[in-house]
Amino acid sequence: MAGGAFSNPSKTRHYEGKVTAFVLITCFVAAMGGLLFGYDLGITGGVTSMEPFLIKFFPSVYRQMKDGLGHQSAYCKFDNELLTLFTSSLYLAALVASFFASITTRILGRKPSMFIGGLFFLVGALLNGFAMNIEMLIIGRLFLGFGVGYCNQSVPVYLSEMAPTNIRGALNMGFQMMITIGILIANLINYGTAKLENGWRISLGVGAVPAFLLCLGSLFLGDTPNSMIERGQHDQAKTMLQKIRGIQNVDEELQDLVDASEAAKKVEHAWKNVSQPRYRPQLIFCSFIPFFQQLTGINVIMFYAPVLFSTLGFGDDASLMSAVITGGVNVLATLVSILCVDKFGRRILFLEGGIQMLISQILVGVMIALKFGVNGEGSFSKGEANFLLFLICAYVAAFAWSWGPLGWLVPSEICPLEVRSAGQAINVAVNMLFTFVIAQAFLTMLCHLKFSLFFFFAFFVVIMTIFIALLLPETKNVPIEEINKVWRSHWFWRKIVPNDISTDNYDGKTSL
């Protein structure tokens, strides 16, 4: 494609080393931070469709759902601002937390930020599980949000810095894999607790388990060599680099990390500098990738799946089981991405996923339009319901091997050390801001846009696919401290990024 200039991985430096059990175990433990985010995404929609939960905290929604008071349309029966605030308040808190997490990650290291995130989530899950009133419920959600903000800031950066270059994509996607596993576990728990009087307490309270595991695991993790060097711990950084690479001779890679750290120290104000022309690609991608990721509409499916399926006429049990099925597809498709990302690259997954999501969304919108029309009255036959579920699964699969994992991988790997924390904070903040906006607005949008809601998201899928096709260079097999070189070889970014960040310091091995 015309706009898709690729970097040349063969001209980048390739460090010695092997994939060690130590680095795999370390990245697995760190990736558990994704379980927290995924569990909450999956648990929320199921809990908000449980009658005992609605009766206790949102009785007006329960009456509206049962009696149809004030609404004649199936599209509107869950439309309630307080109910959506329960869901979306977490993401507003995560947005705020991401900026504090950026400072913590840079000054104290990646490991303490993961521990703090787990601790916040642990407190929030317990508050929600024992909630006696709506105030306690919302406060718990805010604690959960701070936990998600800290984990989503620190974990992708930790994984990118620990992973060997040749499998960086796969190990970083462990974060997204854990998100999908968290969603699936949450869906299964919701299915098992739906008929219990206090099943919602179990569903919300079990979130404390992955939070405790992350807190415990982070105590035994080492910090990344990049973070240690950033904080002046050069000897410890060399020892850690030897452990994660499995060899003694790491001088070449260590020196590159030191050089990058020295350059980073010359940058006094990361937030101010990230807006300079030399960091324009990073600023654009760290802002627009999470923006577009949310406008795929995926979180509508993930945390409102039971509500959505219920709206479309699936029974209560069928709604929860359908959510379990989409959760399973999500996990399997993310595994496909892990296996393919370092072999075929980032761009091809983005582009294929975008096309598949577009087709699926248009067909879902057409089916709902034909059956429910504008007035929201209608139902699906069993065959039609199964085909609708298939289309939604195709959409979820496309997201799970493209915008899902790559939305976290690409921003975490394209920022040089001097603006890495700031870049990831922007990524998390934009992600959480638009997750909040979509979560807060979805049920109202469904009520007013009706079946056109799917066409609304499909429009943005077209825009984001063109954006990737024209502007994103390939970063496969490029060492994280040498990523800047790809901008100088791209047809568009070479016009914006100044020549003074060329590869003169790379002793001729990496010239472009």
Side-chain angles (χ1 to χ4, degrees), residues 159-195:
L159 295 173
S160 287
E161 291 180 346
M162 289 293 276
T165 300
N166 61 324
I167 60 166
R168 185 178 66 237
L171 288 186
N172 188 286
M173 283 182 175
F175 178 70
Q176 178 67 20
M177 172 59 83
M178 287 297 187
I179 290 177
T180 63
I181 291 173
I183 292 170
L184 178 59
I185 291 172
N187 288 334
L188 289 169
I189 289 175
N190 277 338
Y191 186 74
T193 61
K195 299 299 183 182

Side-chain angles (χ1 to χ4, degrees), residues 312-389:
L312 297 176
F314 290 59
D316 290 341
D317 286 347
S319 297
L320 289 171
M321 181 50 68
S322 298
V324 170
I325 292 171
T326 55
V329 169
N330 199 15
V331 172
L332 293 176
T334 302
L335 182 60
V336 171
S337 184
I338 289 174
L339 297 175
C340 294
V341 65
D342 290 312
K343 183 175 182 180
F344 300 110
R346 283 67 163 148
R347 283 172 50 84
I348 189 66
L349 292 176
F350 265 129
L351 298 178
E352 191 285 331
I355 293 170
Q356 186 172 321
M357 282 192 295
L358 176 64
I359 294 171
S360 301
Q361 283 175 318
I362 290 175
L363 291 176
V364 168
V366 169
M367 280 191 69
I368 295 174
L370 292 176
K371 282 294 178 180
F372 284 81
V374 177
N375 62 13
E377 295 178 359
S379 61
F380 287 118
S381 67
K382 184 177 180 180
E384 290 166 340
N386 288 337
F387 184 61
L388 180 73
L389 180 60

Side-chain angles (χ1 to χ4, degrees), residues 59 65 82 148 168 173 217 235 261 309 361-362 392 402 431:
M65 182 180 69
L82 191 59
V148 167
R168 185 178 66 237
M173 283 182 175
D235 291 339
S261 179
F309 287 128
Q361 283 175 318
I362 290 175
I392 290 178
S402 60
N431 191 298

Side-chain angles (χ1 to χ4, degrees), residues 193-209:
T193 61
K195 299 299 183 182
L196 302 178
E197 180 65 27
N198 288 309
W200 61 270
R201 291 192 184 276
I202 298 172
S203 292
L204 294 176
V206 168
V209 176

Side-chain angles (χ1 to χ4, degrees), residues 35 66 185 278 284 447:
L35 273 177
K66 287 298 183 182
I185 291 172
R278 69 170 59 225
I284 294 295
C447 182

